Amino acid sequence: MGRLSSWAVFFFVILVFEGYFCERGLSATVTYDGKALVIDGKRRVLQSGSIHYPRSTPEVWPELIRKSKEGGLDVIETYVFWNYHEPVRGEYYFEGRFDLVRFVKTVQQAGLFVHLRIGPYACAEWNYGGFPLWLHFIPGIQFRTTNAPFKEEMKRFLAKIVDLMKEENLFASQGGPIILAQVENEYGNVEGAYGIGGALYVKWAAETAVSLNTTVPWVMCQQEEAPDPVINTCNGFYCDGFKPNSPSKPTMWTENYSGWFLSYGYAIPYRPVEDLAFAVARFFERGGTFQNYYMYFGGTNFGRTAGGPLIATSYDYDAPIDEYGFIRQPKWGHLRDLHLAIKQCEEYLVNADPVQQSLGRNLEAHVYYKTSNDCAAFLANYDSNSDANVTFNGNSYFLPAWSVSILPDCRNVIFNTAKVVSQRNIGDLALSHSISVSVHELSLASATWSWYKEKIGIWGNNSFTTSKLLEQINTTKDTSDFLWYTTSINVDDNAKQGQEKEALLLVQSLGHAALVFVNKKLVGFGYGNHDDPSFVLGEKISLNHGSNTLDIMSMMIGLQNYGPWFDIQGAGIYSVILGDLKNAKEDLSSAEWTYQVGLEGEYFGLDNPNLANSSLWTQGSATPINHSLIWYKTTFFVPEGKGPLSMNLASMGKGQAWVNGQSIGRYWPAYLSPSTGCSEKCDYRGTYDSFKCLKHCGEPAQTLYHIPRTWVHTGENLLVLHEELGGDPSKISFLTRSGQEICSHVSEADPPPADAWKPMSGFMSQTAEIRLSCEQGWRITSITFASFGTPTGDCGTFSPGSCHTSVLSIVQQACIDKQGCSIPVSTSQLGDPCPGELKSLAIEALCSG
């Protein structure tokens, strides 16, 4: 306590607390106290969102950050990815998608702050958790414990990043946007596995970080015993019960999961915005002042960046901005309104402690008083089933189950987490499995294809032999996803010549997948899943008299990125047993095995555009389909437009794809999710977890793959695929969005927009509104439905109710040819088709370029 207080007196950070000044690069001071971060002497309530710079391209960073700012964010949070910044020890890379300085400056230009999570352990469903694999091969090293080789390397990289930020004047004290830095990441979740070494490591990491003199506060997330002055923070779906380890530290939430990550073989998880908003409101209701969405934009795991095991290429995360950079509604809009409502309460939240009042069973209020007559309040119903009417300050309020109402003057409700009045999108390009009027498709059915068939087994003179089964990661050093295990099986002379012998082959693997060939013919495919990548493959095989070849292609799908000692978790084949039908067994695990790292096509560089005209490629009138281990190549012309592209690979099995030499990531449409566990509508009420709300059961986790527009050009573009299992490339197509279908349904009883509230004067209007808005560059070109009265149905399926008046001409006049418009939900504006009845307005519209 005393140590922190003395530190707080002297720990000052120069930082800008308004976007205008941040953009100009002026300076201000920042520290923290038990309530909040204090910027230029002013406590701040801050909304933050995670955007990982390598999961998009520099050309779209400004647009993503603009949408984040318009959504009410103050801070952009990102990890730093050691393995791509230092791919070889001492050789650094900060270009293209990995231009960290450019990203931070882009945030600064938008007038937002940055929370830089240097780690250097990231997790993030990123390959090897962000650690470079060369680190694993340093003699005597042990990760994330009190180990001298590891601490030396970690300190060196931390210093590298800190020095880089200082050189570019990006810390707050230099007029830059960086207000926070993070060391380590979620170590408290695994610390127990490291014993006393873990505790000593935490102390060392904190001291090392502070010694780098960033002049901004450091945080450790999920680290209950974070040493002073480092702030311990919360990660999770809910953090309203979290308290830091000192009353002198603010309550901060560094990872509020907007959804969940996607894994091959799993259904698609999503998180209802009503629950997400409830979690945020509860956090601020109970004393929080800094909250970060993980993710606000998720993006794409291009190349082999996806972690493991079996993390999908899409990192959409059901975030407010989808994988392609489009605003996801109603999530983005509902959270924007929430941020506006919380901002109206900022002066109360940072200058008072909440006074809790019981309003009934599972009902409570938290009131923040400036004076006895001047307060802000949060009214909460945390029952997962029952709505309630409550009395507060002599007034009656309706609280839906699992909701929070925000009253910036302790009287007027300007936001309720369960009442979603923001517009909705019809369809979702990131996950769409059908073509809508606003999505255009370009088929490759008539494309001319070339191909190259991989050799089965050993293909080069750089193979090697040993009398045991080798662990895969230590063998390949992650230079490739693939490792060939090859041996021979001899059928003795007791078998008749020319007669096949039946046998049972049992292959056991630590993960992640494997193709098994006997005498160069495919006999089986085995694979694990994200939660258990290991598998056992048993196949009945036929062997010839004499020598037979056994070739096993072992496959990685992302290195492990989370868990205690995750860095030494192995992969590959560890047992091969051959049995006959009489139960006699032969253990081949200690036989002589020959190994080959990678594919011949990788060695040639078939993904490289320079080899597009190589004689290695075969071309003919009939493209071979449903072949394992085959490369395909064709050219295509991109659909018109400026927006991102999507490639539909539903017809393919498993592999990787490149466009003009850029890897768009791994694909695996052949791996279907379980057929059960999804529901058409997920009840947002009650505690959320990553398996509660799922969609597209019985389907692939991902069929559409993101291609950034800057990766293609006018004229011919090159597409190369390596197909591992078998597929039909002629059925591949490209999709692009030329517009969007939007809708909204708002009742007379809904509150006015949150921004209609003004301090001291209250609501400027008491009328609810429908607000429609197109993505930038598009305008509302048609109104496809407009009814005031009692319309029924959901977005995309609205129909007039028994009480109805057509308001089409009114809506057209207000909205056509505009990027956005608003329509008051009022009988004075729209007429009254049924006096005495509660009415609502429903609109569907089309936006296009």
Side-chain angles (χ1 to χ4, degrees), residues 115 213 292 412 449 625 638 668 727 729 809:
H115 177 196
N213 193 29
N292 177 77
N412 289 288
W449 291 91
I625 64 172
V638 299
W668 199 350
S809 61

Side-chain angles (χ1 to χ4, degrees), residues 33 51 173 268 554 632 737 765:
D33 60 21
I51 298 177
S173 58
I268 298 169
S554 182
Y632 293 108
R737 178 182 278 188
S765 167

Side-chain angles (χ1 to χ4, degrees), residues 681-751:
K681 287 190 176 180
C682 181
D683 189 347
Y684 70 86
R685 300 175 302 174
T687 303
Y688 178 84
D689 61 50
S690 61
F691 292 99
K692 180 179 179 181
C693 301
L694 303 172
K695 54 187 174 182
H696 298 307
C697 282
E699 300 178 33
Q702 183 179 0
T703 57
L704 301 183
Y705 290 79
H706 176 209
I707 304 171
R709 177 65 69 161
T710 53
W711 288 7
V712 295
H713 48 253
T714 56
E716 287 190 339
N717 292 266
L718 177 67
L719 171 64
V720 174
L721 303 105
H722 176 246
E723 173 56 47
E724 301 162 19
L725 302 183
D728 185 351
S730 69
K731 295 180 180 178
I732 294 172
S733 62
F734 294 92
L735 309 177
T736 188
R737 178 182 278 188
S738 60
Q740 61 182 146
E741 297 165 90
I742 59 177
C743 60
S744 188
H745 190 186
V746 175
S747 163
E748 290 178 298
D750 287 325

Side-chain angles (χ1 to χ4, degrees), residues 254-412:
T254 38
E255 289 189 15
N256 175 12
Y257 306 119
S258 58
W260 200 242
F261 60 85
L262 182 63
S263 300
Y264 290 121
Y266 288 62
I268 298 169
Y270 65 97
R271 187 178 187 185
V273 69
E274 296 92 335
D275 175 70
L276 182 56
F278 171 78
V280 173
R282 286 287 281 169
F283 176 71
F284 286 98
E285 172 189 353
R286 299 181 66 184
T289 52
F290 179 102
Q291 181 268 152
N292 177 77
Y293 297 100
Y294 188 100
M295 304 291 295
Y296 198 77
F297 163 79
T300 306
N301 292 317
F302 297 114
R304 297 170 61 241
T305 60
L310 285 80
I311 301 295
T313 294
S314 172
Y315 202 65
D316 180 83
Y317 225 92
D318 195 36
I321 303 174
D322 75 20
E323 179 182 3
Y324 296 83
F326 294 112
I327 288 173
R328 172 172 278 118
Q329 298 282 27
K331 184 167 277 190
W332 184 92
H334 194 52
L335 295 177
R336 174 203 57 200
D337 294 344
L338 170 63
H339 302 153
L340 286 168
I342 292 171
K343 194 65 76 175
Q344 298 286 9
C345 304
E346 181 173 22
E347 291 303 310
Y348 301 90
L349 294 173
V350 299
N351 289 302
D353 293 322
V355 176
Q356 183 179 2
Q357 297 180 19
S358 174
L359 302 176
R361 183 176 179 272
N362 294 335
L363 300 162
E364 65 183 9
H366 284 83
V367 187
Y368 290 80
Y369 289 96
K370 276 188 181 178
T371 67
S372 59
N373 297 318
D374 186 7
C375 62
F378 294 75
L379 311 184
N381 178 355
Y382 52 93
D383 193 281
S384 59
N385 295 300
S386 301
D387 299 339
N389 289 292
V390 301
T391 300
F392 173 73
N393 279 1
N395 297 314
S396 180
Y397 299 91
F398 174 69
L399 286 177
W402 206 253
S403 78
V404 176
S405 286
I406 299 175
L407 294 67
D409 62 352
C410 279
R411 185 171 60 255
N412 289 288

Side-chain angles (χ1 to χ4, degrees), residues 11 18 163 194 300 371 496 509 615 650 662 706 715:
F11 187 81
E18 294 294 343
D163 289 345
Y194 295 85
T300 306
T371 67
K496 294 181 181 179
S509 174
S615 60
Q662 298 273 11
H706 176 209

Side-chain angles (χ1 to χ4, degrees), residues 604-664:
F604 289 144
L606 292 181
D607 58 296
N608 192 323
N610 292 332
L611 269 67
N613 297 317
S614 169
S615 60
L616 291 168
W617 294 101
T618 300
Q619 186 174 325
S621 58
T623 304
I625 64 172
N626 298 322
H627 280 250
S628 61
L629 299 182
I630 185 171
W631 295 74
Y632 293 108
K633 174 184 72 74
T634 193
T635 57
F636 66 96
F637 293 88
V638 299
E640 292 182 2
K642 298 180 180 179
L645 301 172
S646 178
M647 183 161 59
N648 189 336
L649 294 174
S651 65
M652 303 305 289
K654 178 184 182 296
Q656 189 174 168
W658 295 262
V659 171
N660 294 326
Q662 298 273 11
S663 173
I664 65 168

